[in-house]
């Protein structure tokens, strides 16, 4: 995976991370909107993000297809990192992109059962709990990019609504087309 390769480069090449993360000074360097998504602050950060990306990302990609999945991933990651730099000194990581995936999946498959907080629960409930945790995290900082999570989740929810209604329109259109077909008796 590209994320793992980038983390290896971060670990062995001095200054690699500094040249690719996003902060207010680097906003004019547009490439950092994307490169910051692939950076991670620690091995733990990387492992958590990869686990969530594999778990939720594979499901969403199967439901929506690769192009729509990449749209959700990159748009959520970019927007989350841009918003974050106005609240934190810098922003890096795929957390915003992953929360965008979770938000989209929450709208498309809200009752899908996931294992969260050591319990099986519907995805919409897990998303609510994660949201509450991130809102609380804003007031009790821990070094986690809670605003990135919330920004990515928010955009993911919006994209999920868009894709869900777009899909419903297609189904209604197909039903209308089928109802016009005259079957000979």
């Amino acid at each position: 995976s590209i994320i793992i390769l980038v983390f290896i480069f971060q670990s062995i090449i001095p200054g690699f991370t500094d040249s690719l993360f996003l902060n207010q000074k680097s906003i004019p360097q547009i490439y950092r909107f994307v490169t910051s998504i692939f950076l991670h602050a620690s091995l733990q950060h990387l492992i958590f993000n990869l686990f969530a990306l594999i778990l939720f990302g594979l499901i969403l990609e199967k439901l929506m297809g690769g192009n729509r999945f990449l749209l959700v991933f990159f748009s959520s990651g970019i927007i989350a990192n841009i918003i974050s730099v106005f609240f934190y000194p810098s922003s890096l990581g795929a957390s915003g992109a992953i929360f965008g995936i979770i938000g989209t999946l929450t709208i498309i498959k809200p009752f899908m059962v996931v294992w969260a907080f050591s319990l099986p629960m519907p995805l919409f409930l897990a998303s609510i709990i994660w949201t509450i945790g991130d809102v609380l995290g804003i007031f009790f900082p821990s070094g986690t990019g809670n605003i990135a999570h919330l920004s990515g989740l928010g955009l993911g929810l919006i994209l999920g609504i868009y894709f869900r209604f777009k899909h419903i329109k297609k189904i209604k259109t197909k039903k209308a087309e089928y109802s016009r077909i005259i079957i000979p008796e």
Side-chain angles (χ1 to χ4, degrees), residues 65-155:
N67 289 338
R68 289 185 189 110
F69 169 79
L70 289 173
L71 173 71
V72 171
F73 180 83
F74 282 109
S75 61
S76 298
I78 289 167
I79 295 300
N81 281 328
I82 289 172
I83 290 171
S84 292
V85 298
F86 294 102
F87 297 93
Y88 306 117
S90 63
S91 186
L92 72 161
S95 301
I98 292 163
F99 271 84
I101 291 167
I102 291 170
T104 302
L105 198 54
T106 298
I107 296 297
I108 293 173
K109 299 282 269 179
F111 296 103
M112 179 179 75
V113 177
V114 296
W115 191 262
F117 311 102
S118 302
L119 297 169
M121 64 179 67
L123 181 56
F124 82 88
L125 181 58
S127 294
I128 290 169
I129 295 169
W130 285 320
T131 300
I132 291 168
D134 278 317
V135 168
L136 291 174
I138 293 170
F139 300 103
F140 304 101
S142 65
T144 300
N146 301 103
I147 292 172
H149 295 177
L150 293 169
S151 301
L153 183 69
L155 183 58

Side-chain angles (χ1 to χ4, degrees), residues 2-185:
I2 294 171
I3 292 175
I4 294 171
L5 185 62
V6 169
F7 187 74
I8 292 169
F9 290 156
Q10 283 183 260
S11 302
I12 61 174
I13 301 172
F16 185 83
T17 303
D18 294 340
S19 66
L20 299 174
F21 72 77
L22 188 65
N23 62 19
Q24 284 189 11
K25 289 181 182 177
S26 66
I27 285 178
Q29 297 170 326
I30 308 234
Y31 67 90
R32 289 185 186 229
F33 293 172
V34 174
T35 59
S36 60
I37 296 170
F38 293 94
L39 300 171
H40 287 83
S42 67
L43 183 59
Q44 181 181 4
H45 186 207
L46 174 72
I47 289 169
F48 284 152
N49 277 353
L50 283 177
F51 176 74
L53 180 59
I54 290 168
L55 179 68
F56 296 110
L58 288 175
I59 295 168
L60 187 64
E61 183 180 18
K62 184 176 179 181
L63 290 170
M64 298 178 63
N67 289 338
R68 289 185 189 110
F69 169 79
L70 289 173
L71 173 71
V72 171
F73 180 83
F74 282 109
S75 61
S76 298
I78 289 167
I79 295 300
N81 281 328
I82 289 172
I83 290 171
S84 292
V85 298
F86 294 102
F87 297 93
Y88 306 117
S90 63
S91 186
L92 72 161
S95 301
I98 292 163
F99 271 84
I101 291 167
I102 291 170
T104 302
L105 198 54
T106 298
I107 296 297
I108 293 173
K109 299 282 269 179
F111 296 103
M112 179 179 75
V113 177
V114 296
W115 191 262
F117 311 102
S118 302
L119 297 169
M121 64 179 67
L123 181 56
F124 82 88
L125 181 58
S127 294
I128 290 169
I129 295 169
W130 285 320
T131 300
I132 291 168
D134 278 317
V135 168
L136 291 174
I138 293 170
F139 300 103
F140 304 101
S142 65
T144 300
N146 301 103
I147 292 172
H149 295 177
L150 293 169
S151 301
L153 183 69
L155 183 58
L157 292 169
I158 291 166
L159 291 170
I161 291 167
Y162 169 75
F163 287 123
R164 186 169 180 150
F165 283 111
K166 184 176 180 184
H167 181 69
I168 289 170
K169 281 183 177 179
K170 282 183 181 179
I171 291 170
K172 287 181 181 177
T173 303
K174 284 183 181 180
K175 283 183 183 177
E177 288 172 11
Y178 293 134
S179 67
R180 288 188 218 133
I181 297 173
I182 300 172
I183 301 173
E185 297 179 337

